[in-house]
Structures are given as C-alpha cells and as structure tokens.
Amino acid sequence: MIASRRPRAARALALALGLLPALSAGPAAGTSPDTWRISIRGQDVTRAADPRVASGVLLLNVVALGPVLALVARTAGREVQVRDASGTDWRGTAGDSLLSSTGRSLSLERPIRIDGPSAYLPATTIAELAGLPVDLDSGTRTAAFADRDEPAPSGWQSLYLPKQPGLTNDGGSIQRRHQDIFLPPDHDTLRVGLGLGVVPGADAGGEFSAVGSVRGIDTALSLLGTTGPRGFELLSGHAQLADATRGVGLEAGDLFSGIWGLAYGARVRWRRGEEEGASWPAVSIYQGDPGIGNPTTVVSYSDEIGLGRWSTAAGELASDGSWLASGRFRRRRLSLFGYLRNASGSLANGRGSGLSGSLDLPLGLELQGALSRSGSGDRRLDEQTLSLRVPLRQGSALTLATDRFAIGQTRGQIESVEGITAFGRLQVQERWQWRESLFSGFLSTPAQHFTEHDLFTTASYLVGTRLRIEAQLIERWPEKSRRNEWRQLSAALPLWHGSSLQVFASSSSSIGVGSSFRVRFDQEIRPGFSLFVEAGDIVTFQSETQIGPPDTNRFRIMVRRSWDVATPAPGNGVEGFVGSSGSLATAGLPVELGPYRTVTHSDGRYAFPNVPPGDYDLHLNEKGLPADILAGPPARVRVKRGESQEANLSIVPLGEARGWVYVDRNGNHRRDPNEGIAGVVMILDDRATVTSPDGSFGFFNLPPGTHRIRVQADRLPPGLEALIPSRMDLGLPAGRSVGELEFRLQEKHKSLVFQEARK
Amino acid sequence: MKWFPCILAWFAGLLFLTAATPAIEFTSSFESIKIDGRPGEVVNRDFQLHLVPGGKPVRFKARPEDWWASEDGSRSFYRPAGTLPHSCGPWISLNPVETTVETGGTLDIRVTAAIPREAGPGGYWCVLTVDEVPDPLDSPRGVAVRFLASVSVGIFINLAPVARVAEIREIELSQGIARLKVCNRGTTPISADGRLEFLPPGQRSGQVSPVASVVLSRITVLTDPVPCRLLTADLPDSSALPPGRYLVRVVLDIGIDHYLGVQKEMEVGGDRLAAAKSR
C-alpha cells in the first residue's frame, strides 16, 4: 500500500485533494478495511475511499471521494444525498438498493450503507455518478478510476491539473440573484449584567444592570448593594422606562433635581408636541432627606421651553417653595448660561446664582468666564473666574486663568498657567498655580495671610503599542511650612488577548500619608464574562466609614457577566397584497416599507411583522420589478401600537405599439416589402422615435390608456408628404401590444410646365 | 470675379462635409449578464452606461439580439432575437427601450429575463445591444458626418443541469504564433483562458518553473452555431525562449474544478517552430 509506505506523501496528497479530515479519521470504528487499492487518475486514495466488500461487491465511501470526483455527497441521518457531475441530485436511504432523483432512479448492486458521516456505495455506481470509467481487477484487488474523457490532439498527452483555490476562471460562475429582504427584528433585546465582588475578611458588593428595550420601551435598571460591617446596604438604584412612541417616561430611585442635585424619588415625564426636539415636562416626588437635600417630601414640576432660535429657559418649582430658574443662550461663537436658585434644606449653598459663558475668538482662542454666588451669611461663597486658552502647534495648548473667591472671612486669589504638549509618544501636562488667601480675623483671632505655590506635572508615554506608563507629580510650597510632594506612577499592559494588567504606586511626603501599591488584572474569559482581581492597598466596598489609609495586603476578586435576553418585539404587522389589472404573476415582487424590504409570496401577499410604530411609505421598488411592469401608486401607512395594518398595492402591465410607415408605390392599397420609409419621425404623446430602414417603428413600455400617435409631418424626408389623417388615437389595454399600425405617405407630385424656348 | 463666390461656396461645402460630430464618451463595466435561473423564473438585472460630462445629450435605443462569432473571432454576427436555437433574446424585456441621457448622466436599463416554464436545461445566450441614435426631434443644419456608438454585452442564462465540457482539438506553433482550437462539447457556453508553458524536457510534474510562459487571453466558446474558437498568442522571442527541446504544456481554464491540460515534448525555436505543427 502506497499510503502505508509513504505516509508523508499520502498526507501531502490528502492535503492537496482536500481529504485530510477523511484521512485523519481513518477507517470507521468497528470496520475491517479490505486490501483493495483504490486510485483516481493514478493517485492513491485508498484510505479515503475506505473500501469494503459485501457479497463480492466493492463499496467505497462516496462522501470522502466526492471532492476528488467532482461529486457533492453528504449524509443526513439515514439518508445519503449526492449531486452528480451533471448537477443532478440523488437521494437514497440506508438499506435501499436504489438512488432516486426527480422522475429517475438508479439501481445499486448492493444496498446503501451509512456509517455516521460516511456513506458507502458500489464503486460502479460512484463511477457512474462521476461520469468516469472504473477498472475493477479482483485479481490484483485494484480499482482504478480512469481520467475523464478529455481527448488530446494526436501526439499530445492529456493532463489532469487540479485547481488551487484562488486560481479560477470565473467564466463559469453565475451571479446569484440578490434576495433583498430586510425585516424588522423579531424581538427586542435587554442586556443584563451582573457583577459580584468579594474582599476576603472585609465585605462584598454586587451590581445588577439591565439596559435595552422591551416591546419598544427603552428600559434601564441598575442596582448597587454591599454587605459588610454595616450589614446589607443598597447604595444606589435607578429604574427608567421611556416610551418614545407615546412620549411618556417613568423614573424611580436616584434622581437628579435641578434644585437639590441628588435626590430620591419618582418622576413621570411626557413629551410636549410631536416634533423633533420637543421638551419633556416632568412631575417628580422627592423623599425628604435633610442630610443631603430637601428636608421634607416635596412634589416638583420641571419644564423647559424654547425662546426663539438660540435661547431656552428651564425651571423647577417645588411644593415647599424651592425653585430654580435657568437660561441658556448660544449663537455662533458665544454661549451663556445663567441660573437663580432658592433651595430649602440643610445645603450651605441653598440660595445661589451664577452666570457663565464662553466666547470663541479668532485664531482658535477660547475665552471662558464665570460669576457665581451661593449660600448666605458666613457661608456665602462668591467666585469669579476667567481663563484664556491659546492653541499652539500640533495639539499643544496654553491656558492662563485667574480665580478670585471669598468665603466667609476669607478672600483669595489663584493665578495659574497650564500647558499641554506632546513629543512623539510622550505627552506632558504642566500646571503652575499661585494661591494667596487672606483671613481677616474673627473675634479675637488675628488676621492671617497665606501664600503657596503648586506645580502639577503629568506625563504619559506609550512604549511600543502595548505598554503605557503614566507619572503624576504634585509639589506644593507653602510660604511658612515645609515643601510637600505627592507622586504616582502607573503602568498598563495587556499581557495576552482579552487581558489588562495595571500597576499603581504612589508616595507622599505629607505627614500621615505613606506609600501605597496596587495591582489590578482584568481578563475577559469569553465575550460577556470577565474576571477582575485587585491586590495591594485597596478600598473596600463600605470603606467610607474608615479613617486613615486603606488596609494593605488585601485583595479583591470580582466577576462580571453580561448576556442578552430576548424580549417581546415592538410594533405590529403590516400586510396586504399586490394586485394586478391583468393576469400578471405577482410573486416575488419587491415591497418596501420605510427601511424594510420583502417580496411577495406566490399568492401576491406580503407581510412585515413587528413593525415599530411610526409613519412609513409603502411602495413597490421599481428597480426590482420586471421591465414590462409599472408600479401602482404608493401608500402611506401609520403603524400604531397594538394595531395591525392592511395596505394593498398594485402593478400595471405595460404594452407596446408597433407599426409601419410606407408609400404605396404600386398602388395596391396595402403595404408591400420594400415600401417602408426610413427616417420618419413618429410621435406618441410626449415620446418620439424614428422609423428603421424597413419603415418599422415601435413604442415600448406604454401604460394602458389612450395614446395619440402621429407622423411628424414637418420633418418628413424630402419629396414625401403625409396622407390625411396622419394621426390616430390608440386605446391600449393593460399589457396588450398593438402591432400593425400603418401610416401611409405619398410622393409629392409637381406638375411639369413646359416653356417655349427663346429664339 | 464671377468664379470667386463659387470657390467660396465649394470651400464652405467641404468644411461642412469634413466637420464630423465628435463621438460620445462613456464608461460601462461591459460585464456580461450571467443568470443562474430556473424555468418559470423572472430575473432582473441592470445595465448601466455613464456618459462623460461635457458633451451633448445622447439618445439611446436598446434591443436584445442573437450573437455569435466566427471561429477565429475576427467577425461577429448579430441577428434578430430568436434566430439561434438557444437564444435567450425572446425572454428578454427592457425598460427603457429608447431614451435620452443628459451629459454626465447614466443610462440605466432594467433587463428582465422571463424564463419560460417549458425551457429545457442547458445554456442560453443573447446580447443586449445599445445603439446611439439621432434625436428624432433634433434637426441638424447643413451636411455633417456623425459617428454613432453601439455597445453589446452578453446575456448568459444557465438552466441546471449544465455540462461544461471542452476539448483542445488542434495546437499549432508556427511563425512565432501559437494557435489553439478549443471546442465546446458541453451544453452551455464557456469562457476559456489559460497559458502555454515551455518546460525543460523530461518533466512530468508541475514543480519546475517553466522557462517561458505565454498567456492565452479569454474567449467565449458557444455551443452553436460555431462551437469551436481559436486562441492565439505570440510566442516568446529567442532571448526568452532559446531554441531547444522543451516540454510544451497547454493549461486551459474553462471554469470547472480542474484545468484542461495537454503536453508534448518537441523541438522549439528558429525554423523548427514552423515544423512543430501538430494536429
């Protein structure tokens, strides 16, 4: 056996022939391969053929030999399917002695054997399917499939040259018809995320999120809870439902109030108007929380209105008398924002006002400024800031800023200069600021004056394409105290696919603040599932109660898992049929509904399931219709939630009008060969054409109805004139052709006038 | 001076006669329309032709017609659709048939093939011919010569099953030219291209690089009425192919799973090329 003597050669051959899987698998378990040697065009394929003998008949694995013999063979359960060399599909079932095709059958010497993915047919049958002769020699136990019948010129040797992928003439390939179907999704999706983290010996935390859509309603839910020394605590939670179609939204949990900032409660919103950019007024109820916001439970109304093209005004009014009013203006290079607030509660800055703005100047300069006042009495804070950003070359920029403030008995000023620039892979940001404060004294406390200088330096450098190093340095020089420094170095490096390793190290010269070190490692185990480990000086979940630096030598492990959950789809079905005024087939016609596309079924009906609510144009795509069909008028469909829509379309078959223009030269009152006139301009409605050399003309793709057809009398060839009538009204039924229209011309006759010759 | 107006008129007439309207400029893929269809199926395709901006509006008229070429490819024959037994022309409808395209615009013709239910398996073909025609409502003044463009692209429709079978019937290397006669023995038109390789003698495998190679440009071989075509190519000169004995191998691609190939050892070069004719 060649395969056993030269395994490498056999493997190379198998690779070339695409038989490696078959060879790797070897003979099926439990079988006893015979000692037959099988060759195809001189190449040994014995192992792939897996020859077996049953009652003296040689059986071969047609599935493995298929690629070499230009057959497509596969098994499906107890059935084998074979597409032969001529493209005919054959089927047979295990145990049957017959392969059948449409209206044809092929008898087999022995029944079909199916063994997993392998199917065994008699060698003679395989040869017949492949269109090759096979030479079976039971004496030498060889089966040789001969070459195809590709005769060569006399004296030339015929060759079989297998193709390699990519080296093919596409002349035999066929462009596939593009099935243009795009339907709304049959379900909505909610992405659910779950994260769990444990700090051994300390506490644990968990987060849950669900974001997506349910029946077209935007849904968002998030929860964060911890358990530890303080027991179980729900740190935050927020739920939101928004129906953009109906213009209604609900929220609960952690909300943002314009008056108090973070608040707990519930809110209902609704859209005012249908146009894009319409405002969403809201009514909210906030639970009382004297610690951070409103002291009592209140109800508030918030709204936003447009004031002309460039301005908006917004406000919130609460039942306890608190209120907020704000305005925004933006036009060209100038933008302004201002607010007035009067909030009850324990907030130090319950009352406040502010005005901020920015102005884009020529050369890319940007000027920003703000004035604000909040609180009252000794806790009143006044602040004025002004900054100018100057862009430099290649992304670099310089910012100059000044900030004046006054809080209680203290007044101060901060002047700063900040620059950012990049040198190749190195990016540097530097900020220097000078701070001066004056405490004017209180009761017996003397007035005090403080000054200090701060330098903030941040540099990041990308090493190669993977490693990023970032360093931060903060230096502070108080006027009458020692210089302080705080340093941090971090590095991020993906170790392998889906991983990320980050290292942080920091130190400080301040008293009571030591050095810290932290390492974190992320690994995506598979899409949607990741593992996160952090070790070193880490902060626990409930660490806000801790005093002093975080414990060292802790580690935290977290897993995060997210997956998509199919939810009910929005919208409803839109369906109907395409009708024809004739006997046209209405199957396979392209129907478009807004962005969605489908084709009609054999009965002319179409259906778009799960169409989201909205207004859509429904029409037939002219480009996809047969050339001799005209689409009827389109339709406008409004899809509402909970209502299916029925809308029908139509097609109109187009017709033709053909005819002849001739001169009845022999006067027999009918058109004869060689009497046609070329170059005659014919007009049908607003179309024009010219007669061919034989005098024929045609107008094609005509909609049904009445058409007026005529000879262009003032453009007739010289010496000819039209007979009256030179036009006719043609009633063209749908899809019909009129083929024997005749227009007669006649030659102009000029009388011959003889004159007497002068002498 | 009575003859002066006559000379002037003669020059003016000559000027009109020699003033030829410039031919139109356009771009198109010219790719054949290939359809893998089934009896009873209606298939749409598009033919597009883009007019280069800057000229005048052009009027086009389109029609399907039958086509075949002579054996040496030097002559093409166009006949009314339905002339050939395997014509797809009668199945084709076009929209628009006649239209005017503005300069810089696109002629976009919808080509629909309505395959009859009774059509048998095999390959069918025809061509879509698009002629530039004079605008019927445009009346040119004086005498002028106008060159009208005409474009034809093939339409090939295969109804399964089809057999792509070809035979290399004659090979002739003479007068510095290689000529191959390829005959279609299948049931559908085929595209054939390939190469002619000159290998050192004694080679039986394709592992050795050829000394020289000649590309055989693609041709279409129909099933009828002319089922054979000649492929020709210039042979390399003596600097690329020194005279000597070579294994001459013809490798032909007709779009099936393997190449057609024939080979023969022979003396090649100089005057012996003329003697290396084999039939």
Side-chain angles (χ1 to χ4, degrees):
Chain A
M1 300 270 293
I2 291 177
S4 60
R5 287 203 307 267
R6 296 193 300 175
R8 288 185 180 178
R11 184 176 176 80
L13 170 64
L15 278 170
L17 299 178
L19 293 176
L20 186 59
L23 286 180
S24 302
T31 63
S32 56
D34 211 298
T35 54
W36 280 74
R37 178 181 175 274
I38 314 300
S39 66
I40 297 177
R41 302 181 190 101
Q43 309 283 4
D44 184 85
V45 292
T46 305
R47 291 196 65 189
D50 189 16
R52 302 171 179 199
V53 177
S55 302
V57 175
L58 177 64
L59 303 177
L60 302 176
N61 183 356
V62 68
V63 176
L65 293 180
V68 200
L69 294 171
L71 302 174
V72 180
R74 67 185 185 98
T75 59
R78 288 177 46 78
E79 188 181 76
V80 60
Q81 301 165 356
V82 183
R83 174 166 295 174
D84 70 16
S86 67
T88 304
D89 291 321
W90 300 89
R91 291 167 183 271
T93 307
D96 285 356
S97 297
L98 200 69
L99 282 176
S100 58
S101 179
T102 308
R104 299 165 62 188
S105 62
L106 194 61
S107 297
L108 311 181
E109 291 179 275
R110 292 295 303 164
I112 300 166
R113 280 192 193 181
I114 306 271
D115 192 352
S118 303
Y120 296 84
L121 300 179
T124 51
T125 302
I126 294 176
E128 190 173 350
L129 293 171
L132 295 182
V134 61
D135 182 13
L136 297 174
D137 187 338
S138 57
T140 59
R141 291 182 180 273
T142 56
F145 289 82
D147 205 342
R148 295 187 176 185
D149 183 21
E150 287 166 351
S154 174
W156 291 74
Q157 176 197 355
S158 178
L159 294 175
Y160 175 81
L161 302 166
K163 275 185 181 175
Q164 293 179 7
L167 296 176
T168 183
N169 163 359
D170 65 353
S173 68
I174 296 293
Q175 293 177 359
R176 289 281 168 193
R177 183 180 179 188
H178 179 52
Q179 291 292 347
D180 205 4
I181 294 179
F182 174 60
L183 296 174
D186 58 0
H187 61 80
D188 265 359
T189 302
L190 204 60
R191 167 145 287 209
V192 177
L194 192 62
L196 292 172
V198 176
V199 181
D203 55 9
E207 60 186 20
F208 172 81
S209 66
V211 180
S213 181
V214 179
R215 207 178 282 282
I217 297 174
D218 293 334
T219 304
L221 176 65
S222 63
L223 295 170
L224 175 62
T226 62
T227 179
R230 298 200 304 265
F232 177 78
E233 286 187 342
L234 185 63
L235 295 187
S236 66
H238 179 247
Q240 179 174 334
L241 300 173
D243 186 344
T245 306
R246 292 181 176 166
V248 179
L250 292 172
E251 279 182 273
D254 295 329
L255 302 179
F256 179 81
S257 162
I259 301 174
W260 293 286
L262 182 65
Y264 306 107
R267 174 180 293 157
V268 57
R269 299 182 299 145
W270 64 95
R271 186 177 56 213
R272 181 189 289 125
E274 293 289 328
E275 70 277 8
E276 190 175 347
S279 61
W280 287 73
V283 171
S284 310
I285 179 167
Y286 302 124
Q287 179 189 350
D289 188 347
I292 61 170
N294 49 304
T296 59
T297 297
V298 296
V299 176
S300 82
Y301 171 78
S302 58
D303 201 352
E304 183 180 22
I305 56 173
L307 300 174
R309 290 173 57 190
W310 304 295
S311 307
T312 58
E316 183 170 7
L317 178 63
S319 58
D320 67 347
S322 301
W323 54 268
L324 169 80
S326 65
R328 193 180 298 275
F329 173 85
R330 180 170 184 85
R331 188 181 182 193
R332 295 181 182 173
R333 298 167 178 265
L334 176 65
S335 66
L336 294 172
F337 173 74
Y339 71 92
L340 291 170
R341 182 180 59 211
N342 179 20
S344 62
S346 60
L347 286 177
N349 54 355
R351 291 169 181 266
S353 61
L355 175 67
S356 61
S358 68
L359 178 64
D360 295 335
L361 300 172
L363 303 177
L365 300 174
E366 185 179 345
L367 185 65
Q368 291 188 338
L371 302 168
S372 67
R373 167 174 290 184
S374 60
S376 59
D378 290 341
R379 293 191 295 182
R380 194 177 83 183
L381 171 64
D382 288 288
E383 190 169 11
Q384 304 99 42
T385 63
L386 185 66
S387 70
L388 177 66
R389 183 178 182 276
V390 182
L392 304 175
R393 286 186 174 180
Q394 297 179 338
S396 301
L398 190 68
T399 303
L400 309 171
T402 178
D403 181 6
R404 295 173 186 272
F405 62 90
I407 177 167
Q409 301 300 311
T410 305
R411 296 175 184 277
Q413 181 175 351
I414 301 173
E415 312 283 351
S416 68
V417 178
E418 180 177 328
I420 181 169
T421 188
F423 304 98
R425 293 166 172 263
L426 176 66
Q427 189 175 55
V428 179
Q429 186 172 1
E430 197 87 29
R431 173 185 166 90
W432 177 85
Q433 72 180 29
W434 173 76
R435 178 188 178 103
E436 180 181 31
S437 306
L438 177 63
F439 179 65
S440 59
F442 182 68
L443 297 178
S444 60
T445 309
Q448 292 179 330
H449 181 261
F450 302 95
T451 60
E452 63 180 19
H453 301 265
D454 297 328
L455 182 64
F456 302 84
T457 304
T458 302
S460 66
Y461 184 67
L462 184 64
V463 183
T465 58
R466 296 160 63 87
L467 176 62
R468 175 175 287 278
I469 300 174
E470 189 170 293
Q472 292 183 47
L473 174 65
I474 301 175
E475 295 174 275
R476 173 163 293 172
W477 294 277
E479 185 186 27
K480 297 171 184 175
S481 181
R482 59 191 290 268
R483 173 171 169 266
N484 289 325
E485 278 186 13
W486 182 83
R487 298 170 290 270
Q488 177 177 295
L489 186 68
S490 66
L493 172 69
L495 293 179
W496 47 75
H497 178 69
S499 74
S500 171
L501 176 68
Q502 290 177 280
V503 180
F504 302 89
S506 65
S507 65
S508 174
S509 61
S510 298
I511 298 172
V513 182
S515 301
S516 67
F517 181 77
R518 193 166 83 250
V519 178
R520 56 180 291 176
F521 175 72
D522 285 280
Q523 175 66 56
E524 184 183 44
I525 298 172
R526 59 191 177 90
F529 185 32
S530 62
L531 177 70
F532 163 60
V533 179
E534 190 174 25
D537 307 312
I538 62 172
V539 178
T540 54
F541 291 98
Q542 295 186 348
S543 62
E544 65 267 27
T545 59
Q546 294 179 349
I547 298 174
D551 292 339
T552 58
N553 300 322
R554 284 185 189 275
F555 82 91
R556 169 167 37 203
I557 183 167
M558 288 192 74
V559 289
R560 289 194 177 94
R561 174 88 169 91
S562 65
W563 62 96
D564 289 337
V565 176
T567 59
N572 292 91
V574 175
E575 56 187 45
F577 69 92
V578 177
S580 162
S581 57
S583 57
L584 286 176
T586 52
L589 301 179
V591 183
E592 294 187 355
L593 178 76
Y596 307 116
R597 304 180 295 274
T598 189
V599 294
T600 53
H601 303 297
S602 57
D603 58 356
R605 291 196 67 83
Y606 73 88
F608 292 96
N610 307 311
V611 180
D615 291 334
Y616 298 90
D617 287 323
L618 176 72
H619 64 275
L620 287 158
N621 182 356
E622 289 268 6
K623 298 276 287 181
L625 290 178
D628 51 1
I629 286 181
L630 180 70
R636 183 78 175 165
V637 177
R638 170 162 291 186
V639 179
K640 297 178 180 175
R641 197 179 297 279
E643 289 181 22
S644 293
Q645 298 292 322
E646 175 93 11
N648 300 326
L649 296 169
S650 63
I651 54 172
V652 180
L654 300 173
E656 299 175 5
R658 296 171 184 264
W660 305 82
V661 178
Y662 71 103
V663 173
D664 185 17
R665 293 195 172 91
N666 57 12
N668 64 356
H669 302 292
R670 68 164 187 262
R671 178 175 55 84
D672 294 316
N674 304 321
E675 287 185 338
I677 302 297
V680 178
V681 177
M682 301 297 298
I683 307 290
L684 184 142
D685 300 336
D686 57 350
R687 307 183 190 199
T689 190
V690 179
T691 55
S692 303
D694 61 353
S696 64
F697 69 88
F699 292 97
F700 303 89
N701 303 316
L702 299 174
T706 302
H707 302 279
R708 172 160 293 188
I709 186 168
R710 62 185 170 90
V711 174
Q712 183 82 342
D714 58 351
R715 291 175 186 270
L716 287 175
L720 294 176
E721 61 185 3
L723 281 177
I724 303 298
S726 62
R727 70 183 184 194
M728 64 177 72
D729 289 331
L730 179 68
L732 192 65
R736 297 284 297 275
S737 295
V738 179
E740 290 298 327
L741 303 174
E742 291 189 348
F743 289 86
R744 238 175 80 192
L745 306 180
Q746 67 179 6
E747 291 169 340
K748 290 179 181 175
H749 292 286
K750 292 184 179 179
S751 54
L752 184 60
V753 179
F754 292 95
Q755 294 183 346
E756 188 176 347
R758 291 183 180 176
K759 288 184 180 177
Chain B
M1 295 294 285
K2 286 182 179 178
W3 45 267
F4 182 75
C6 299
I7 293 176
L8 197 63
W10 185 81
F11 268 105
L14 190 66
L15 192 64
F16 274 119
L17 279 172
T18 54
T21 306
I24 62 168
E25 288 185 65
F26 58 84
T27 59
S28 176
S29 69
F30 298 115
E31 274 190 20
S32 295
I33 296 171
K34 297 170 183 173
I35 295 171
D36 188 7
R38 294 188 301 269
E41 193 177 16
V42 178
V43 184
N44 273 3
R45 291 286 188 271
D46 277 319
F47 169 79
Q48 289 192 331
L49 185 149
H50 310 280
L51 280 185
V52 174
K56 295 175 66 176
V58 179
R59 193 165 181 84
F60 291 102
K61 194 170 185 177
R63 65 182 184 279
E65 56 186 358
D66 283 1
W67 163 85
W68 69 93
S70 61
E71 189 170 287
D72 62 0
S74 63
R75 295 181 62 198
S76 287
F77 302 93
Y78 295 89
R79 294 292 182 272
T83 303
L84 296 179
H86 283 88
S87 168
C88 65
W91 307 349
I92 302 297
S93 54
L94 307 171
N95 195 347
V97 170
E98 189 172 356
T99 190
T100 299
V101 179
E102 296 298 321
T103 175
T106 298
L107 171 67
D108 190 350
I109 298 177
R110 210 180 331 154
V111 181
T112 299
I115 305 169
R117 292 190 182 279
E118 62 275 14
Y124 296 80
W125 73 95
C126 51
V127 292
L128 167 64
T129 297
V130 179
D131 292 328
E132 180 195 359
V133 295
D135 189 338
L137 302 179
D138 185 21
S139 50
R141 294 184 172 183
V143 180
V145 177
R146 186 165 183 185
F147 299 98
L148 297 176
S150 183
V151 175
S152 290
V153 295
I155 302 174
F156 295 92
I157 301 177
N158 278 340
L159 305 185
V162 295
R164 292 188 176 85
V165 185
E167 175 188 350
I168 303 171
R169 193 164 286 178
E170 294 175 11
I171 303 171
E172 182 182 324
L173 308 180
S174 65
Q175 309 297 326
I177 296 176
R179 295 181 181 84
L180 276 78
K181 186 173 183 178
V182 180
C183 295
N184 190 335
R185 296 197 294 116
T187 61
T188 187
I190 55 171
S191 290
D193 57 16
R195 61 188 186 276
L196 189 64
E197 295 176 345
F198 297 88
L199 298 140
Q203 301 300 324
R204 284 293 178 267
S205 71
Q207 295 171 351
V208 176
S209 298
V211 176
S213 184
V214 176
V215 173
L216 302 169
S217 298
R218 182 177 294 188
I219 57 167
T220 300
V221 190
L222 304 174
T223 53
D224 59 273
V226 180
C228 297
R229 286 288 303 272
L230 282 178
L231 274 160
T232 58
D234 291 335
L235 292 173
D237 57 27
S238 57
S239 62
L241 184 66
R245 190 165 185 82
Y246 291 94
L247 177 67
V248 181
R249 176 177 292 169
V250 177
V251 179
L252 212 58
D253 188 353
I254 63 166
I256 56 176
D257 66 329
H258 64 282
Y259 298 106
L260 303 185
V262 293
Q263 64 183 16
K264 180 184 181 182
E265 257 186 39
M266 61 171 64
E267 292 289 337
V268 177
D271 296 332
R272 281 168 293 195
L273 266 180
K277 178 178 177 182
S278 175
R279 284 181 184 273

